[in-house]
Amino acid sequence: MTIMKSANRYLWIGYTAARSNLAYGGEVIYRCSFLTIILYIFLRLWNVVYAATGSDRVGGLTLPQMVWYLVVTEAIYLSAPRVASEVDEDVRTGRLAVHLIRPLSYVGGHLSRAMGDRVVRFAINLTVGAVLAMILVGPIPISAAGIVMFFATLPAAFLLDFLGMFLIGLCAFWLESTSGLALLYTRTVMMFGGMFLPLAIYPAVLQPILKVLPFASMLSAPGVMFVNPSFLLLKESIVIQGAAVTVFLLVVAIVQFLAMRRLFSNGG
Amino acid sequence: MNRGVEIRELKKNFTLTRWTGFHRTVSEVVAVDGISMVVPQGQAVAFIGPNGAGKSTTIKMLTGILHPTSGNVSVLGFTPWRDRRRLAHCIGAVFGQRSQLWYHLPARDTFELLSRVYGLERSEFIRTRDVLIERFNLGPFMDTPVRKLSLGQRMRAEVAASLLHRPRVLFLDEPTIGLDVIARQLLRDLICEWNRNDGTTLFLTSHDAGDIEHVAQRVVVINHGHVVVDDNVAAVRRKYLGAKILRVQFHGAPRSMKLAGVTMLQESGYEWKLQIDTAIVPVRVVTAAVLDAGSVADIAVEDPPLEEVIARIYSESRREVPI
């Protein structure tokens, strides 16, 4: 009963965050327009690349697959909530007190909120992207098993990104500003996570390294699973994601422990 | 006596580390220095002091956010820093400058969420929510997004939200900041009413003397980490009212008057505003001298505003404790 009540409160935070996200129509339209422009620009760029190479496959993907890959990775990337800046603000403005006065875990509260935010944004982004991709390049073969495999990689991808951003936000306990770190983090995810370019396009020597880095687990793994699903890839992705989540959780636990010790003894 | 909050010899030192090149200097700052007090359940206490006096640090220790350097605290039988999450079910907080309502959603949604956060029984929640909606007159804007509410409406909803789980101790941090006179008065009345009817212990911090005067029964003034005054509001007034204000209206131009212990605060036309130091000269002597000075149309003896009393306490405690 207690576990149920505890789960219920975090689910409601997520649900409320999701509703709050839909409440402001203007922002939803802005995000959709931005995604449309980005996807159109990249479609034009990939058209040129495919024409220049004279091949029907680049990095093992056809042009329609490449566009759908981009739809998925962009939908994930652009759905990221501003966790780092929210945690940073909590620490800097003393809003942390508002969170700690509730019978909630600080990280749990932020996670529920971020997931509620993210699921809605991702669903909208994916829908808009899919409609656009259908118009621009048409459908690609998708199986039910492929869809299941794609969705199997999503929770860990979102969780990993949340933990990364939460960790950066916690740095506000020691740093004057975390915005530089956050910028570095998002750009690293973009570059090494395979947002614009699938990892198969990177130099062969880099590919095995990029594959095991947590960034690929956030973007490339679900992207590849959508356009080119396979059980072998899924197994590999889940193992890497599991390891990355374990490491991130451990680091977050240590940093949060140190941060809270600092807060409890010195007031943040 | 049912003790809501008990504080014994509470101390808090902060460690400051400064780097000059590669040289590290560690120093200690005493934020709270041996505070002791008992707040019975149901009492409304104004916990005031100048900026940096140690108010927020004390409240953070009472809510379990900060661990003390030494001393004991019991809030409703809990040690806050050991039982923070369990205590959280029994206390509430309103931060005047920080909202707990979801900005894009109506207050009703935040109420729903809070009922889940505190694990309230559905029927109990609906009953309390409806009582709060009625008492705080939230009905007309319960379904309006918070971003569209006036500050007064939002603050009423904020206070109501913090009462949903019927906390036995409510911490109010500058609850009326930024409100206009009418909204401020309304909110004070609602807080007082809840304190009276529900027996909620109130811990109020505010720089507004009106809040203290209207809401609190007891004033605790803290400065440099020490309690410098701890008494009921009326006693604080009396104790620190070494001065009285005399307002006089004359029918015509009065003769000038000079009396030791009397300061002319304002002189305009046929009106005087005098401050009397009652330790030097009794009010009746000044009144007699004023009646001699001219034909008096109206005369009134007033206490100085609580704001002046507080300012005096702050300045006295500043002189006593070397900075």
Side-chain angles (χ1 to χ4, degrees):
Chain A
M1 191 63 191
T2 315
I3 296 170
M4 284 292 286
K5 267 193 174 177
S6 189
N8 191 28
R9 64 175 65 131
Y10 291 106
L11 285 174
W12 263 87
I13 295 174
Y15 170 70
T16 310
R19 290 201 50 211
S20 174
N21 221 286
L22 288 169
Y24 204 47
E27 203 196 325
V28 176
I29 293 168
Y30 165 75
R31 279 203 307 266
C32 293
S33 315
F34 185 70
L35 180 68
T36 308
I37 294 166
I38 290 277
L39 284 176
Y40 183 73
I41 292 170
F42 273 96
L43 171 75
R44 307 299 303 163
L45 282 172
W46 281 116
N47 263 328
V48 173
V49 172
Y50 275 82
T53 55
S55 165
D56 65 338
R57 280 178 190 270
V58 173
L61 302 178
T62 60
L63 179 63
Q65 278 180 319
M66 187 64 83
V67 171
W68 277 95
Y69 173 87
L70 210 66
V71 165
V72 172
T73 54
E74 283 286 353
I76 295 172
Y77 184 81
L78 293 177
S79 66
R82 298 169 59 245
V83 178
S85 65
E86 276 175 22
V87 175
D88 179 292
E89 213 176 301
D90 285 350
V91 177
R92 220 166 287 290
T93 63
R95 198 175 59 190
L96 200 61
V98 181
H99 293 283
L100 293 180
I101 213 157
R102 301 228 182 282
L104 290 170
S105 138
Y106 180 61
V107 62
H110 266 294
L111 175 64
S112 306
R113 195 177 174 141
M115 289 302 139
D117 259 359
R118 188 146 206 175
V119 166
V120 170
R121 287 183 187 190
F122 175 72
I124 294 171
N125 289 351
L126 192 65
T127 309
V128 171
V131 169
L132 212 69
M134 290 289 274
I135 295 167
L136 297 173
V137 292
I140 53 168
I142 297 170
S143 66
I147 296 285
V148 172
M149 281 191 260
F150 161 66
F151 279 110
T153 56
L154 268 186
F158 288 171
L159 178 62
L160 266 175
D161 192 29
F162 166 80
L163 292 171
M165 289 192 288
F166 187 77
L167 204 58
I168 288 168
L170 283 180
C171 291
F173 276 95
W174 295 275
L175 300 176
E176 286 287 322
S177 166
T178 59
S179 55
L181 266 184
L183 190 73
L184 198 68
Y185 169 81
T186 50
R187 296 307 175 264
T188 309
V189 171
M190 214 186 250
M191 291 274 293
F192 299 134
M195 189 176 90
F196 301 129
L197 307 171
L199 296 188
I201 293 176
Y202 281 76
V205 68
L206 277 180
Q207 284 181 32
I209 301 166
L210 294 180
K211 248 185 192 175
V212 294
L213 286 178
F215 312 113
S217 292
M218 298 174 195
L219 293 173
S220 173
V224 170
M225 212 53 67
F226 190 85
V227 295
N228 224 349
S230 88
F231 281 108
L232 197 71
L233 258 172
L234 176 70
K235 222 166 73 178
E236 192 184 284
S237 296
I238 284 178
V239 169
I240 296 171
Q241 283 185 329
V245 167
T246 310
V247 172
F248 269 46
L249 276 175
L250 203 70
V251 177
V252 165
I254 294 168
V255 174
Q256 198 187 344
F257 171 76
L258 294 173
M260 289 301 161
R261 206 173 65 168
R262 194 181 164 94
L263 168 77
F264 291 148
S265 63
N266 250 13
Chain B
M1 182 172 55
N2 186 4
R3 285 173 173 179
V5 180
E6 285 187 46
I7 306 171
R8 295 262 171 270
E9 283 299 314
L10 190 66
K11 286 189 181 185
K12 180 69 195 173
N13 297 348
F14 289 124
T15 309
L16 289 182
T17 309
R18 279 209 184 96
W19 287 90
T20 319
F22 291 105
H23 181 69
R24 193 174 73 143
T25 321
V26 179
S27 57
E28 281 218 326
V29 175
V30 181
V32 175
D33 195 7
I35 288 180
S36 295
M37 62 192 279
V38 175
V39 182
Q41 179 68 42
Q43 193 174 59
V45 182
F47 196 62
I48 62 169
N51 294 332
K55 302 185 299 282
S56 300
T57 307
T58 307
I59 285 177
K60 280 179 184 166
M61 286 191 278
L62 295 184
T63 50
I65 296 167
L66 271 177
H67 292 197
T69 306
S70 65
N72 292 311
V73 172
S74 166
V75 179
L76 303 165
F78 294 105
T79 303
W81 50 95
R82 281 195 209 114
D83 306 303
R84 183 178 65 81
R85 290 227 205 146
R86 279 198 294 159
L87 175 66
H89 284 279
C90 313
I91 61 171
V94 177
F95 299 95
Q97 303 194 65
R98 288 178 197 116
S99 179
Q100 61 180 320
L101 302 170
W102 286 65
Y103 189 64
H104 293 302
L105 297 176
R108 189 181 294 281
D109 290 315
T110 304
F111 282 28
E112 282 290 336
L113 173 62
L114 287 173
S115 80
R116 265 78 178 189
V117 166
Y118 287 102
L120 305 178
E121 290 300 329
R122 195 73 194 147
S123 57
E124 180 199 338
F125 159 65
I126 291 171
R127 200 170 44 245
T128 313
R129 183 197 62 191
D130 292 348
V131 167
L132 285 165
I133 289 175
E134 194 204 323
R135 279 208 214 163
F136 283 69
N137 193 22
L138 306 178
F141 55 87
M142 262 311 263
D143 296 304
T144 307
V146 170
R147 66 172 189 273
K148 292 183 179 169
L149 301 184
S150 71
L151 185 59
Q153 289 173 327
R154 185 173 73 73
M155 282 315 295
R156 262 151 59 204
E158 292 277 358
V159 176
S162 67
L163 292 169
L164 265 179
H165 60 294
R166 292 199 176 258
R168 284 155 65 200
V169 180
L170 181 66
F171 294 92
L172 298 154
D173 184 10
E174 303 266 6
T176 60
I177 196 162
L179 297 184
D180 64 47
V181 183
I182 293 164
R184 199 178 297 176
Q185 191 53 48
L186 181 63
L187 194 63
R188 284 172 188 156
D189 290 344
L190 289 166
I191 294 168
C192 282
E193 190 191 325
W194 198 266
N195 165 248
R196 262 196 321 271
N197 297 347
D198 234 52
T200 310
T201 307
L202 298 181
F203 230 87
L204 167 78
T205 57
S206 178
H207 289 292
D208 186 326
D211 288 351
I212 299 157
E213 214 158 14
H214 289 91
V215 176
Q217 294 130 27
R218 176 180 169 191
V219 184
V220 176
V221 183
I222 181 171
N223 205 0
H224 303 291
H226 296 273
V227 171
V228 290
V229 171
D230 181 354
D231 219 327
N232 64 59
V233 178
V236 169
R237 270 185 170 284
R238 275 198 307 275
K239 197 169 170 183
Y240 286 87
L241 291 184
K244 289 274 180 192
I245 304 291
L246 191 69
R247 287 181 187 274
V248 194
Q249 268 187 1
F250 296 95
H251 286 121
R255 287 184 298 280
S256 66
M257 183 191 87
K258 268 211 161 178
L259 215 55
V262 177
T263 313
M264 180 70 72
L265 294 179
Q266 204 180 307
E267 189 178 8
S268 55
Y270 300 160
E271 279 184 30
W272 283 358
K273 185 182 172 189
L274 307 166
Q275 183 174 296
I276 308 165
D277 187 341
T278 53
I280 299 172
V281 57
V283 175
R284 62 182 165 76
V285 173
V286 183
T287 315
V290 165
L291 290 171
D292 267 355
S295 169
V296 173
D298 194 10
I299 188 163
V301 183
E302 297 169 358
D303 287 335
L306 190 60
E307 252 165 36
E308 280 179 26
V309 176
I310 292 167
R312 197 172 145 196
I313 297 170
Y314 288 177
S315 60
E316 278 181 10
S317 61
R318 199 167 291 144
R319 278 200 298 275
E320 281 163 17
V321 183
I323 301 168

PDB file of all heavy atoms in Angstrom, chain A residues 120-142:
ATOM      1  N   VAL A 120       5.432  13.779 -23.545  1.00  0.00           N
ATOM      2  CA  VAL A 120       4.515  14.581 -24.359  1.00  0.00           C
ATOM      3  C   VAL A 120       5.267  15.231 -25.522  1.00  0.00           C
ATOM      4  O   VAL A 120       4.848  15.161 -26.683  1.00  0.00           O
ATOM      5  CB  VAL A 120       3.846  15.677 -23.484  1.00  0.00           C
ATOM      6  CG1 VAL A 120       3.097  16.664 -24.339  1.00  0.00           C
ATOM      7  CG2 VAL A 120       2.902  15.030 -22.498  1.00  0.00           C
ATOM      8  N   ARG A 121       6.392  15.848 -25.187  1.00  0.00           N
ATOM      9  CA  ARG A 121       7.161  16.519 -26.243  1.00  0.00           C
ATOM     10  C   ARG A 121       7.609  15.533 -27.320  1.00  0.00           C
ATOM     11  O   ARG A 121       7.549  15.827 -28.511  1.00  0.00           O
ATOM     12  CB  ARG A 121       8.399  17.168 -25.644  1.00  0.00           C
ATOM     13  CG  ARG A 121       8.083  18.393 -24.832  1.00  0.00           C
ATOM     14  CD  ARG A 121       9.351  19.006 -24.353  1.00  0.00           C
ATOM     15  NE  ARG A 121       9.092  20.088 -23.422  1.00  0.00           N
ATOM     16  CZ  ARG A 121      10.018  20.928 -22.998  1.00  0.00           C
ATOM     17  NH1 ARG A 121      11.250  20.813 -23.402  1.00  0.00           N
ATOM     18  NH2 ARG A 121       9.712  21.881 -22.159  1.00  0.00           N
ATOM     19  N   PHE A 122       8.073  14.371 -26.855  1.00  0.00           N
ATOM     20  CA  PHE A 122       8.563  13.375 -27.805  1.00  0.00           C
ATOM     21  C   PHE A 122       7.424  12.901 -28.710  1.00  0.00           C
ATOM     22  O   PHE A 122       7.595  12.789 -29.923  1.00  0.00           O
ATOM     23  CB  PHE A 122       9.189  12.189 -27.058  1.00  0.00           C
ATOM     24  CG  PHE A 122       9.593  11.073 -27.960  1.00  0.00           C
ATOM     25  CD1 PHE A 122      10.698  11.222 -28.796  1.00  0.00           C
ATOM     26  CD2 PHE A 122       8.873   9.895 -28.015  1.00  0.00           C
ATOM     27  CE1 PHE A 122      11.076  10.198 -29.659  1.00  0.00           C
ATOM     28  CE2 PHE A 122       9.242   8.869 -28.876  1.00  0.00           C
ATOM     29  CZ  PHE A 122      10.340   9.026 -29.697  1.00  0.00           C
ATOM     30  N   ALA A 123       6.262  12.653 -28.105  1.00  0.00           N
ATOM     31  CA  ALA A 123       5.117  12.176 -28.892  1.00  0.00           C
ATOM     32  C   ALA A 123       4.750  13.208 -29.965  1.00  0.00           C
ATOM     33  O   ALA A 123       4.494  12.850 -31.128  1.00  0.00           O
ATOM     34  CB  ALA A 123       3.933  11.904 -27.981  1.00  0.00           C
ATOM     35  N   ILE A 124       4.739  14.480 -29.584  1.00  0.00           N
ATOM     36  CA  ILE A 124       4.392  15.535 -30.554  1.00  0.00           C
ATOM     37  C   ILE A 124       5.464  15.611 -31.649  1.00  0.00           C
ATOM     38  O   ILE A 124       5.158  15.637 -32.847  1.00  0.00           O
ATOM     39  CB  ILE A 124       4.229  16.895 -29.841  1.00  0.00           C
ATOM     40  CG1 ILE A 124       3.021  16.846 -28.906  1.00  0.00           C
ATOM     41  CG2 ILE A 124       4.073  18.031 -30.848  1.00  0.00           C
ATOM     42  CD1 ILE A 124       2.897  18.050 -27.992  1.00  0.00           C
ATOM     43  N   ASN A 125       6.733  15.633 -31.217  1.00  0.00           N
ATOM     44  CA  ASN A 125       7.837  15.731 -32.179  1.00  0.00           C
ATOM     45  C   ASN A 125       7.811  14.573 -33.170  1.00  0.00           C
ATOM     46  O   ASN A 125       7.987  14.766 -34.371  1.00  0.00           O
ATOM     47  CB  ASN A 125       9.180  15.716 -31.448  1.00  0.00           C
ATOM     48  CG  ASN A 125       9.425  16.995 -30.681  1.00  0.00           C
ATOM     49  OD1 ASN A 125       8.685  17.962 -30.815  1.00  0.00           O
ATOM     50  ND2 ASN A 125      10.456  16.999 -29.856  1.00  0.00           N
ATOM     51  N   LEU A 126       7.592  13.376 -32.638  1.00  0.00           N
ATOM     52  CA  LEU A 126       7.616  12.193 -33.496  1.00  0.00           C
ATOM     53  C   LEU A 126       6.456  12.224 -34.493  1.00  0.00           C
ATOM     54  O   LEU A 126       6.624  11.893 -35.661  1.00  0.00           O
ATOM     55  CB  LEU A 126       7.551  10.915 -32.636  1.00  0.00           C
ATOM     56  CG  LEU A 126       7.855   9.626 -33.380  1.00  0.00           C
ATOM     57  CD1 LEU A 126       9.306   9.608 -33.875  1.00  0.00           C
ATOM     58  CD2 LEU A 126       7.633   8.406 -32.481  1.00  0.00           C
ATOM     59  N   THR A 127       5.302  12.680 -34.008  1.00  0.00           N
ATOM     60  CA  THR A 127       4.136  12.749 -34.902  1.00  0.00           C
ATOM     61  C   THR A 127       4.382  13.749 -36.033  1.00  0.00           C
ATOM     62  O   THR A 127       4.176  13.444 -37.209  1.00  0.00           O
ATOM     63  CB  THR A 127       2.877  13.167 -34.096  1.00  0.00           C
ATOM     64  OG1 THR A 127       2.792  12.322 -32.966  1.00  0.00           O
ATOM     65  CG2 THR A 127       1.624  13.078 -34.915  1.00  0.00           C
ATOM     66  N   VAL A 128       4.854  14.950 -35.646  1.00  0.00           N
ATOM     67  CA  VAL A 128       5.115  15.985 -36.658  1.00  0.00           C
ATOM     68  C   VAL A 128       6.193  15.503 -37.626  1.00  0.00           C
ATOM     69  O   VAL A 128       6.056  15.620 -38.857  1.00  0.00           O
ATOM     70  CB  VAL A 128       5.552  17.306 -35.967  1.00  0.00           C
ATOM     71  CG1 VAL A 128       6.038  18.332 -36.984  1.00  0.00           C
ATOM     72  CG2 VAL A 128       4.400  17.877 -35.158  1.00  0.00           C
ATOM     73  N   GLY A 129       7.267  14.922 -37.067  1.00  0.00           N
ATOM     74  CA  GLY A 129       8.373  14.428 -37.888  1.00  0.00           C
ATOM     75  C   GLY A 129       7.915  13.328 -38.833  1.00  0.00           C
ATOM     76  O   GLY A 129       8.309  13.299 -40.003  1.00  0.00           O
ATOM     77  N   ALA A 130       7.071  12.438 -38.317  1.00  0.00           N
ATOM     78  CA  ALA A 130       6.602  11.314 -39.129  1.00  0.00           C
ATOM     79  C   ALA A 130       5.751  11.824 -40.302  1.00  0.00           C
ATOM     80  O   ALA A 130       5.907  11.356 -41.441  1.00  0.00           O
ATOM     81  CB  ALA A 130       5.799  10.349 -38.270  1.00  0.00           C
ATOM     82  N   VAL A 131       4.878  12.774 -40.020  1.00  0.00           N
ATOM     83  CA  VAL A 131       4.027  13.336 -41.085  1.00  0.00           C
ATOM     84  C   VAL A 131       4.909  13.962 -42.162  1.00  0.00           C
ATOM     85  O   VAL A 131       4.736  13.746 -43.367  1.00  0.00           O
ATOM     86  CB  VAL A 131       3.037  14.376 -40.506  1.00  0.00           C
ATOM     87  CG1 VAL A 131       2.343  15.147 -41.606  1.00  0.00           C
ATOM     88  CG2 VAL A 131       2.021  13.694 -39.594  1.00  0.00           C
ATOM     89  N   LEU A 132       5.910  14.698 -41.697  1.00  0.00           N
ATOM     90  CA  LEU A 132       6.827  15.377 -42.615  1.00  0.00           C
ATOM     91  C   LEU A 132       7.619  14.362 -43.453  1.00  0.00           C
ATOM     92  O   LEU A 132       7.754  14.517 -44.675  1.00  0.00           O
ATOM     93  CB  LEU A 132       7.781  16.239 -41.782  1.00  0.00           C
ATOM     94  CG  LEU A 132       8.248  17.517 -42.434  1.00  0.00           C
ATOM     95  CD1 LEU A 132       7.098  18.496 -42.559  1.00  0.00           C
ATOM     96  CD2 LEU A 132       9.366  18.126 -41.611  1.00  0.00           C
ATOM     97  N   ALA A 133       8.107  13.327 -42.785  1.00  0.00           N
ATOM     98  CA  ALA A 133       8.897  12.304 -43.478  1.00  0.00           C
ATOM     99  C   ALA A 133       8.039  11.568 -44.507  1.00  0.00           C
ATOM    100  O   ALA A 133       8.507  11.264 -45.610  1.00  0.00           O
ATOM    101  CB  ALA A 133       9.473  11.324 -42.469  1.00  0.00           C
ATOM    102  N   MET A 134       6.784  11.312 -44.148  1.00  0.00           N
ATOM    103  CA  MET A 134       5.864  10.644 -45.079  1.00  0.00           C
ATOM    104  C   MET A 134       5.683  11.497 -46.328  1.00  0.00           C
ATOM    105  O   MET A 134       5.645  10.977 -47.443  1.00  0.00           O
ATOM    106  CB  MET A 134       4.504  10.410 -44.414  1.00  0.00           C
ATOM    107  CG  MET A 134       4.514   9.357 -43.327  1.00  0.00           C
ATOM    108  SD  MET A 134       4.723   7.716 -43.956  1.00  0.00           S
ATOM    109  CE  MET A 134       3.052   7.273 -44.328  1.00  0.00           C
ATOM    110  N   ILE A 135       5.559  12.808 -46.123  1.00  0.00           N
ATOM    111  CA  ILE A 135       5.351  13.712 -47.265  1.00  0.00           C
ATOM    112  C   ILE A 135       6.632  13.804 -48.097  1.00  0.00           C
ATOM    113  O   ILE A 135       6.587  13.755 -49.324  1.00  0.00           O
ATOM    114  CB  ILE A 135       4.931  15.123 -46.760  1.00  0.00           C
ATOM    115  CG1 ILE A 135       3.576  15.051 -46.061  1.00  0.00           C
ATOM    116  CG2 ILE A 135       4.894  16.127 -47.904  1.00  0.00           C
ATOM    117  CD1 ILE A 135       3.233  16.297 -45.259  1.00  0.00           C
ATOM    118  N   LEU A 136       7.784  13.925 -47.408  1.00  0.00           N
ATOM    119  CA  LEU A 136       9.029  14.197 -48.127  1.00  0.00           C
ATOM    120  C   LEU A 136       9.668  12.961 -48.757  1.00  0.00           C
ATOM    121  O   LEU A 136      10.168  13.028 -49.879  1.00  0.00           O
ATOM    122  CB  LEU A 136      10.032  14.868 -47.183  1.00  0.00           C
ATOM    123  CG  LEU A 136       9.619  16.246 -46.633  1.00  0.00           C
ATOM    124  CD1 LEU A 136      10.611  16.727 -45.591  1.00  0.00           C
ATOM    125  CD2 LEU A 136       9.510  17.273 -47.756  1.00  0.00           C
ATOM    126  N   VAL A 137       9.710  11.852 -48.023  1.00  0.00           N
ATOM    127  CA  VAL A 137      10.395  10.670 -48.567  1.00  0.00           C
ATOM    128  C   VAL A 137       9.543   9.403 -48.582  1.00  0.00           C
ATOM    129  O   VAL A 137      10.000   8.356 -49.040  1.00  0.00           O
ATOM    130  CB  VAL A 137      11.701  10.375 -47.783  1.00  0.00           C
ATOM    131  CG1 VAL A 137      12.741  11.446 -48.001  1.00  0.00           C
ATOM    132  CG2 VAL A 137      11.432  10.182 -46.292  1.00  0.00           C
ATOM    133  N   GLY A 138       8.346   9.488 -48.001  1.00  0.00           N
ATOM    134  CA  GLY A 138       7.481   8.312 -47.979  1.00  0.00           C
ATOM    135  C   GLY A 138       7.821   7.372 -46.834  1.00  0.00           C
ATOM    136  O   GLY A 138       8.759   7.617 -46.072  1.00  0.00           O
ATOM    137  N   PRO A 139       7.062   6.280 -46.729  1.00  0.00           N
ATOM    138  CA  PRO A 139       7.280   5.368 -45.597  1.00  0.00           C
ATOM    139  C   PRO A 139       8.498   4.471 -45.794  1.00  0.00           C
ATOM    140  O   PRO A 139       9.012   4.342 -46.908  1.00  0.00           O
ATOM    141  CB  PRO A 139       5.996   4.540 -45.591  1.00  0.00           C
ATOM    142  CG  PRO A 139       5.534   4.555 -47.009  1.00  0.00           C
ATOM    143  CD  PRO A 139       5.983   5.849 -47.613  1.00  0.00           C
ATOM    144  N   ILE A 140       8.951   3.892 -44.689  1.00  0.00           N
ATOM    145  CA  ILE A 140       9.981   2.856 -44.776  1.00  0.00           C
ATOM    146  C   ILE A 140       9.385   1.590 -44.164  1.00  0.00           C
ATOM    147  O   ILE A 140       8.437   1.672 -43.365  1.00  0.00           O
ATOM    148  CB  ILE A 140      11.284   3.248 -44.022  1.00  0.00           C
ATOM    149  CG1 ILE A 140      10.991   3.648 -42.562  1.00  0.00           C
ATOM    150  CG2 ILE A 140      12.044   4.328 -44.742  1.00  0.00           C
ATOM    151  CD1 ILE A 140      12.227   3.758 -41.697  1.00  0.00           C
ATOM    152  N   PRO A 141       9.916   0.422 -44.512  1.00  0.00           N
ATOM    153  CA  PRO A 141       9.332  -0.803 -43.947  1.00  0.00           C
ATOM    154  C   PRO A 141       9.513  -0.855 -42.429  1.00  0.00           C
ATOM    155  O   PRO A 141      10.631  -0.709 -41.931  1.00  0.00           O
ATOM    156  CB  PRO A 141      10.122  -1.932 -44.613  1.00  0.00           C
ATOM    157  CG  PRO A 141      11.045  -1.305 -45.579  1.00  0.00           C
ATOM    158  CD  PRO A 141      11.043   0.156 -45.412  1.00  0.00           C
ATOM    159  N   ILE A 142       8.403  -0.970 -41.715  1.00  0.00           N
ATOM    160  CA  ILE A 142       8.469  -1.055 -40.244  1.00  0.00           C
ATOM    161  C   ILE A 142       7.648  -2.266 -39.803  1.00  0.00           C
ATOM    162  O   ILE A 142       6.504  -2.424 -40.241  1.00  0.00           O
ATOM    163  CB  ILE A 142       7.884   0.217 -39.585  1.00  0.00           C
ATOM    164  CG1 ILE A 142       8.705   1.450 -39.968  1.00  0.00           C
ATOM    165  CG2 ILE A 142       7.874   0.098 -38.057  1.00  0.00           C
ATOM    166  CD1 ILE A 142       8.079   2.773 -39.565  1.00  0.00           C
TER     167      ILE A 142
END
